[in-house]
Amino acid sequence: MNINMYQGALSRCYSLTRTWVPISTNRNRSVECCMRQYRGLSSGTLDRRTYSTGVSSLPQQARVVVCGGGVVGASVVYHLAERGVTDVVLLEQGSLTCGTTWHSVGMIGCVRSSLTEMKLMNYSRNLYRRLEEEGHGLGWKQCGSISLARTKDRMIDLRRKQAISRYGGVESHIVSPSEIADINPLVRHDDLVVRSTLGGLWIPEDGVTTAPDVAMVLSRLAKQKGVKVMEGVQLDKILTKNDRVYAVETTFGTINCEYFVNCGGQWAHEIGKKSSPEVKVPLHSCEHFYIVTKPIEGVPSNMPVIRDFDGYTTFREWNGGIMVGGFEPVGKPVFTHGIPDKFEFQSLPEDWDHFQVLMDEILFRMPCIEKAEVRQLFNGPESFTPDSNWILGESAEVANYFVAAGMNSRGIVGAGAIGKYLTEWILDGEPSVDMWAHDVRRFAGLHNNRRFLRDRVKEVLGAQLKLNYPRQSEFKIGRRLRTSPLHTRLEVAGGYFTETMAYERAVWFSRLGQDEDIDSDTISHRGTFGKPTWLDSVQDEYWACKERVCLIDMSSFAKFVIKSAGGEAVDVLQYLCSNDIDQDIGNIVHTGMQNERGGFENDCSIVRVEENSFFMICPSTLQTRALTWLRRHLPPDGSVQVEDVTSMYSGINMIGPHAQHLLADVSDTPTDKNEFKAMTSKVIDVGYASGIIAMRLTHSGEDGFILYIPSDFAIHTYDTLMQSGIDYGVRNAGYYAMRHLRMEKFFAYWGLDLNALTTPMECGREFRVNLEKGDFIGREALKEQKENGIKKKFVQFLLEDFDVNRDLWPWGGEPVYRNGVFAGVTTTCGYGFTLDRMVCLGYVSDFDDGGNPKLKKNINKFVMEKDAHYQIDIGGKRFSAKAGIYTHKLAMSQRYYRDGIPVYKVKDLAKDPITDTERDNISKLVENTVASEDENNHDLHRHVMTWCPENDVEPLQKRAKVDAADDTKNDILRPVETAYIGDITALDPDMDPKEMDAKITQWMKPIVNDIHSHVDLSQAEDLELVDMSEHDDTDNDEL
C-alpha cells in the first residue's frame, strides 16, 4: 500500500508517534513500567502500580486454580469470590493483562443473533456499568452504537435482531439514514439513502470501556475477598489422577487443587498440552489490525460506536480521536509454530498492504480520517476458533479441568458473563443458560490439528462481520476432513454438503434435469432470508420418501458399543437412561440421558445386540459429549467397556413405503412387519455383504430401515440398493428432506429444540421416562416436575396467512406472542409439504413481570386455551399461528391421486357433518378395501379413516373408537389422544355387535401399500386418511 495516496498526516507521522512499542519485559519490573505504552491513551483512572504481587506466599492448597491474568481470568475469580469461594489462586506468567487484553478496543455491543448470547452480553454491560457507577474506574462510557446496513439483506438481519432484542434486555431502534446522520454527523450516509429500505440499528445503551481497567478492577475486588493473584508465576504442568485434576506445578512450587481453569487466551492451546491426558483447546492466533488517530476536531467524547458490517469495520472515539479497525475478509495467521517466549505487552509488525482493504472502507465511511494524524497502525494477535464461537466448559479429557478461551476478538464484551456462567458450571455442575454453542465438547480431536487451525482461522476472522444467511453459512477451508465411503457417489449424484463435527454430509441433491451450468454449490450460496433456492429439490426428495423409497447417508451419526462380561453394562445404562433399557435382545429403546436437573445430556437410541452388549447411536454433534458422559459414569473396576465405533460403521437410511420390499429383494431376511417389527433390530446380509445391523426405524416418522454397515461394505451395499431399487423409484435424499419430514411430525432436534436445560416433561417425551424402573440420574427432578408442573411447553405452530414465496421465512429464534404478550421463541422452522403450511417449533411460557417463567401444574391448558391467540414475529412482521401440542394427523397421512393430481381427503366435521351419501361411500370403500386385501398377497400398511363423531352423535346408533392411551410406543397417537372410526352402522345397521367388532378388526388390518391402485377413492372425497402404520418413535437428530 502506498500511504502517500492519502492526504494529510496519514503519510507523515504514523511511525513517529507510535504509542505502543515492543518492549523486553522483566518479570520483576513493576506493572507501571510495563504499561508505558498506555500513556496518553488510557481512558481509565487506575494506578497499576498497586497491582504488582510477589510470589513469596504461593499457597500449597486451593480449591480452584485459574491460569491467565487477562480479563476473562479476572472475571472468573471475581465471580467465584462473589459466590463465596475465595480459596482461589489466579496465576499469571507475566503481568496482569499482558497477553491480549491490554490492546483490546473495548467495544461493548449487546445485540446478537440469539436470545441467549444477547443476555450474556447484556450481563457484561450491566456489570461494567454498575462497577463504574460505584466508582471503580473502568473507563465505561454509555455512548450507544449504530449498526449500518448497506444492503437489503443486511437490513433484514438487523430487523430480525431488533425483534428479539427487547427480550434480551437490550433496547434498540431501527433508524433511517437521516436519523443516522443526526446521531453521528461524522458518518457518511448518502449511500444508504439510495434505497428507502436501508438504514441501521441504534442501540442507545451500548458503550465502550477500557479492557485492562476492567481486568484490574475485577482482580482487585476478588483479592479484597481473599483470592490470591500471583504474577510472574509460570505454569509447568497440570497433575491428574484417574483423569481428574488434583494439583498444578509452577515455577515456584506445587498447588494442590480441586479445579483448574485454563483462561490462557492465545496460550490456552499450549496449556492444554501440559496435562496427561492432553486437553484439546482448538484455537489459533491471527493478526488483528486497527489505527488510532490523534484528536480530530468535531469528535465528541461520547461519539456512538459505528459498526459498518458490510465494510468490515468498526469505529469508536479514543481520547478525542478515532480508533478504527475491523476484520478483513481473509485473515493472517500467526504463531503457527508457537508463541515467542515472554511475548508480553508486545505488538506485531505493521502491514499496511494487508490493511488496505480496511483502509479503503474506513475512508469511505468516515472521510474526516483522511486528513487526520495517525498515531499508529496497531497489529496485535487475537485467538480464533474453528467455528467462531468461544471455548467454554469442562474438558472431555480431564474431569474438573475447565476452559474459558478462544474469544474471537469478543473477549471484553463476553468476559463478564463468561465469569458468571463458568462459575455456575464449576460450582453447580451446569450453567443456568444453554451454553452448548460454546461448549468445548462440541469439538473432536481432529479440530485441534495445528495446520487445520492455521488455515481455518483465515476464514474465521473474516466471518466476524459477515452476513450469515440461515443454513447457508458454511466454512470452505478445512473441509472434506471426514467423509463417508459414499461421499464420492453422492457428490457425483449432485449432492450438496454441509459439515457437522467436521463430517461431510449431503443435505440435498440437484433436481433431475437441472441446468448443468448451475451447480448445487452455486444455488445454495444464493443467500436469502426468504424461500431458499434449494426448496424445490428438497420437496422432490420429501415426496419420494413419502411415496417411494430414498437412501440417506447417515454415516455421521455417533455410534458406541457398551459391553461387559456380566450384567454391569445393563446396570450402568439403567442408571444413565431415563427409559427402561433392560429389554429383549434386538429391541430398540429411544431414551434420554438426563443430568441431575432432568435436562438432556444425550438423546439416543440403544439396541441390545447381545445379553450384555449394547449398540448406541446419537447425533453427530454429541460424539465427544456422549463419550465423555458415558466414561465418567463407568464403574472404577473396569467391568464395563465403552468403544467409539463411529468410523467403523457407515449408515444408510432407507425411508419410504417401498423400503421393506427393496430390502427383501437384496436380503434373505423377511422384512414384513410381522417378521421384522418396528423398533427392532437384526443382523442381516445385503448382497454379498454381511454383519449389517438393520434397524426398523428411520428418525423421520416414516416406515423404513437404517442399515449400519461395516465401512468396508458400504459402497457395495449402496450400489446394490440403488441397482435393485430402480423399479421402486429409489433415489438419493439429503438431511433437509428428513428434517422437513420430522418437523411436520413434531419431533424435537438435539441442539435446537433440546439441550441440557430441557426435560422430557417439557418437550412432550414424558412417555419415554420410566420413573418406576429404579434410580437413574435426574429421576428426582423429573418426579418433581410430574407432581408440581413445568415452566415451559414444546409447541408446534402452523402459520396462517403466510406467503411462502414473498414473505420472510422464520429460521428459529423468532419471538412468540400469546395474546400480544411475549411467551417464548421459536427453535426450529421449515415448510411442511404435507400440511402445506409454514411450521414453527418452539417453547411457550407464562412470564411474570420480572421475565421469569411461572410454574404451571397444567401448562397444556394454558397453551391450548380457546381464547389464546398466537403470533410469531418474523423480521418485525407478526403472523397469526395455530398452536398444537400433539402431532397433526395430516402430517401422518399419505398422498393419493385423482386424475394424476395429488389430493387429500379431509373434512372438518365440526362445521360439516357426515351425509348419508358419504356413509354409503365409506361403506363401499371398506368393502373394496377388504376385497382387495383378500385378492392381493401384499405386505400391507394400516390406515385409519377418522373424523370427530361428537359432532354427529344423533345420527349414529353406535360408534367405535381406538384408544391409544396405552400405546406408549406410538409417537403419532400421543398417550392422551384418541382416534375415532366413524359410523359403523353405515356398513350394516342390523349387524350383531360381535360381528361388528370382527368387521372393525378386519377394517383395521393393513390395506394394500399402494391403496390408490387397488381401491377406488374417487367417490370418497371427504375422508381424512391418517397413516397409523408402525412408525418408529425416534426423533433424536441434531438437524
Side-chain angles (χ1 to χ4, degrees), residues 114-116 119 160 163-168 791-795 797 812-829 840-848 851-854 859 862-863 869-874 878:
S114 75
L115 182 60
T116 296
K119 289 180 176 179
R160 288 172 57 86
I164 196 65
S165 65
R166 70 192 69 177
Y167 306 109
K791 296 181 179 180
K792 62 182 180 180
K793 181 66 178 180
F794 194 45
V795 180
F797 297 98
E814 291 80 14
V816 177
Y817 293 88
R818 182 184 182 275
N819 295 336
V821 179
F822 177 74
V825 295
T826 63
T827 52
T828 309
C829 307
C840 298
L841 308 182
Y843 287 89
V844 168
S845 298
D846 183 12
F847 293 98
D848 61 23
N852 301 307
K854 300 177 184 177
I859 198 169
F862 170 78
V863 172
H869 174 62
Y870 289 94
Q871 293 175 304
I872 294 178
D873 188 322
I874 306 175
R878 296 188 186 184

Side-chain angles (χ1 to χ4, degrees), residues 590-733:
H590 187 69
T591 182
M593 290 186 180
Q594 321 308 137
N595 53 39
E596 292 292 348
R597 299 179 183 180
F600 283 91
E601 284 295 324
N602 190 0
D603 185 35
C604 56
S605 298
I606 300 176
V607 59
R608 194 173 202 160
V609 293
E610 296 177 6
E611 183 64 26
N612 297 310
S613 181
F614 296 82
F615 187 78
M616 184 180 89
I617 55 175
C618 65
S620 309
T621 53
L622 290 180
Q623 183 176 0
T624 300
R625 181 175 187 151
L627 183 60
T628 302
W629 189 256
L630 286 168
R631 285 178 171 171
R632 289 189 179 164
H633 291 90
L634 297 181
D637 60 6
S639 58
V640 179
Q641 296 83 47
V642 175
E643 183 180 5
D644 185 344
V645 295
T646 300
S647 298
M648 293 173 60
Y649 290 89
S650 298
I652 296 179
N653 196 349
M654 304 172 60
I655 301 180
H658 296 323
Q660 74 173 26
H661 306 301
L662 173 56
L663 188 59
D665 288 351
V666 298
S667 174
D668 296 329
T669 301
T671 61
D672 64 88
K673 292 183 178 178
N674 292 326
E675 296 289 338
F676 202 147
K677 299 180 183 297
M679 296 303 290
T680 64
S681 175
K682 298 182 179 182
V683 178
I684 68 172
D685 298 339
V686 173
Y688 303 148
S690 301
I692 295 171
I693 302 174
M695 301 182 182
R696 189 151 203 162
L697 71 150
T698 63
H699 307 297
S700 67
E702 302 295 324
D703 188 32
F705 304 84
I706 293 186
L707 308 181
Y708 287 103
I709 310 154
S711 293
D712 293 348
F713 300 144
I715 292 180
H716 169 78
T717 303
Y718 172 83
D719 289 346
T720 300
L721 291 170
M722 291 298 288
Q723 182 62 37
S724 300
I726 293 175
D727 292 339
Y728 295 106
V730 69
R731 62 158 295 165
N732 292 300

